[in-house]
């Protein structure tokens, strides 16, 4: 019995080596479709995101625009609701300049806000360095108690602080506004957060170099935290600049001391001078704008670093 060996034949006409490119082309087409869908979704998401940002920017900027638009109207047109001031007039600014000593008010307010923000920054630096770099019994409990003071409403501490300031003879003075606001729990918490993420290798190197804590704080830690200090400094400065209730209590007998009282003087029982008030508020905003423009790079960088952290 004889057998004949023949070459194997395949079912159908397609060869096995031709199936691999077909699968590759199918996967490539699926990949292209997925990339197209992702691109369409990405473009749609960007459009929606930019639209939301435009709306939010408009909502944020509109009060500032309306402030200066009202201040640039004629005094008799101050309450008009037209979107654009016309004819443009500086009569409200001239009236403000003649009505109140706004130059001295801006200088006094700038000095008060600068003193408050510098004191709060110094206290925050020292307290945050202790809470972040030192180890001592009860540190966490003490820090929580310290943060708890942040939750106490201002109305609770207003009367005791007023009595204390009166006993010290600081009523009617800028010092009476500054002294109770020399410490900020928010500033301490923010600085402690930044110092906790400070590279320990640099602290160990400073310690091996023979530096003590005071030298380490001012020559190693602070130069590397200038962005956080700038962001925190301007936030504290704006908060002190906008504070109204406490200066109004302390400086009730000195109505021409700070710009807050100067703006308030345009509202009275005889009638509200909206044009004068808007012009005074517009002049009061200029120092804040200038400080923000000068420190903008540091502020944005500090917030970006905080977000990444």
């Amino acid at each position: 019995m004889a057998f004949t060996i023949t070459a194997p034949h395949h079912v159908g006409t397609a060869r096995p080596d031709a199936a691999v490119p077909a699968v590759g082309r199918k996967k490539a087409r699926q990949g292209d479709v997925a990339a197209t869908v992702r691109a369409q979704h990405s473009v749609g998401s960007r459009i929606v995101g930019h639209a939301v940002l435009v709306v939010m920017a408009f909502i944020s900027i509109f009060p500032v625009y309306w402030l200066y638009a009202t201040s640039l109207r004629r005094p008799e047109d101050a309450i008009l609701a037209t979107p654009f001031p016309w004819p443009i007039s500086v009569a409200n600014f001239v009236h403000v300049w003649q009505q109140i000593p706004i130059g001295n008010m801006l200088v006094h307010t700038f000095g008060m806000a600068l003193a408050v923000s510098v004191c709060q920054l110094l206290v925050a630096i020292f307290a945050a360095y202790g809470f972040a770099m030192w180890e001592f019994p009860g540190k966490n409990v003490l820090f929580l108690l310290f943060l708890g003071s942040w939750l106490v409403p201002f109305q609770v501490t207003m009367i005791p602080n007023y009595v204390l300031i009166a006993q010290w003879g600081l009523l009617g003075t800028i010092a009476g506004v500054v002294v109770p606001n020399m410490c900020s729990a928010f500033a301490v918490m923010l600085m402690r957060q930044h110092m906790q993420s400070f590279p320990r290798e640099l602290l160990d190197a400073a310690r091996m170099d023979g530096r003590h804590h005071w030298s380490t704080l001012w020559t190693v830690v602070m130069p590397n935290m200038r962005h956080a200090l700038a962001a925190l400094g301007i936030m504290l400065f704006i908060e002190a600049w906008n504070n109204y209730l406490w200066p109004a209590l302390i400086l009730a007998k000195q109505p021409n001391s700070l710009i807050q009282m100067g703006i308030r003087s345009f509202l009275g029982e005889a009638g509200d001078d909206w044009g004068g008030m808007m012009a005074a508020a517009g002049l009061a905003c200029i120092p804040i704008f200038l400080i923000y423009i000068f420190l903008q790079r540091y502020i944005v960088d500090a917030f970006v670093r905080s977000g990444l952290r």
Side-chain angles (χ1 to χ4, degrees):
M1 184 175 184
F3 297 94
T4 302
I5 301 176
T6 59
H9 62 280
H10 302 281
V11 178
T13 57
R15 294 182 304 173
D17 55 347
V20 175
V23 173
R25 288 194 295 271
K26 184 178 180 180
K27 290 183 177 179
R29 287 196 298 271
Q30 292 176 348
D32 294 339
V33 172
T36 304
V37 173
R38 285 197 299 270
Q40 292 175 350
H41 288 176
S42 178
V43 172
S45 302
R46 284 201 297 269
I47 292 174
V48 173
H50 283 81
V52 172
L53 289 177
V54 169
V55 172
M56 296 300 296
F58 178 78
I59 294 174
S60 302
I61 293 175
F62 183 76
V64 180
Y65 166 75
W66 196 256
L67 169 71
Y68 285 103
T70 304
S71 64
L72 290 173
R73 301 179 195 274
R74 295 179 300 181
E76 59 270 23
D77 299 336
I79 59 174
L80 292 181
T82 53
F84 302 104
W86 191 262
I88 294 177
S89 173
V90 295
N92 289 318
F93 292 96
V94 175
H95 173 63
V96 169
W97 194 265
Q98 296 173 347
Q99 189 72 18
I100 59 175
I102 191 167
N104 292 332
M105 287 182 171
L106 289 174
V107 172
H108 293 161
T109 308
F110 186 88
M112 180 274 296
L114 183 64
V116 171
S117 57
V118 169
C119 290
Q120 290 181 347
L121 268 182
L122 289 175
V123 173
I125 290 171
F126 296 142
Y129 187 83
F131 282 124
M133 305 299 182
W134 290 354
E135 294 295 336
F136 52 88
K139 184 179 74 172
N140 293 330
V141 176
L142 183 61
F143 181 69
L144 290 177
L145 292 175
F146 189 82
L147 281 185
S149 64
W150 189 20
L151 305 178
V152 178
F154 170 73
Q155 290 76 7
V156 175
T157 60
M158 180 176 62
I159 300 301
N161 284 337
Y162 185 86
V163 173
L164 188 62
I165 291 299
Q167 291 176 349
W168 288 354
L170 297 179
L171 286 179
T173 63
I174 302 296
V177 180
V178 175
V179 170
N181 296 304
M182 294 178 66
C183 178
S184 170
F186 166 74
V188 174
M189 182 193 68
L190 194 63
M191 288 303 299
R192 175 180 176 267
Q193 181 181 357
H194 282 279
M195 286 190 182
Q196 280 185 326
S197 60
F198 192 82
R200 296 290 173 177
E201 293 79 5
L202 293 178
L203 298 177
D204 296 337
R207 194 173 298 111
M208 294 177 64
D209 195 34
R211 297 174 187 266
H212 46 75
H213 286 291
W214 183 263
S215 177
T216 301
L217 174 62
W218 293 111
T219 61
V220 178
V221 178
M222 286 298 102
N224 291 285
M225 298 188 66
R226 57 183 181 275
H227 298 87
L229 289 172
L232 179 59
I234 191 170
M235 285 192 292
L236 297 175
F237 186 88
I238 292 174
E239 182 182 2
W241 185 277
N242 293 331
N243 192 9
Y244 172 74
L245 184 55
W246 182 250
L249 286 174
I250 299 300
L251 302 173
K253 297 182 180 179
Q254 303 287 337
N256 295 328
S257 297
L258 299 180
I259 190 63
Q260 294 92 325
M261 273 63 75
I263 296 173
R264 177 65 179 81
S265 66
F266 291 97
L267 301 177
E269 298 178 355
D272 299 333
D273 185 0
W274 290 105
M277 190 185 69
M278 292 294 185
L283 292 174
C285 292
I286 292 177
I288 298 297
F289 289 153
L290 295 178
I291 292 174
Y292 180 78
I293 291 173
F294 179 72
L295 298 176
Q296 181 183 11
R297 182 168 61 89
Y298 298 100
I299 295 169
V300 173
D301 186 75
F303 282 116
V304 170
R305 289 171 185 266
S306 299
L308 294 177
R309 189 176 294 116

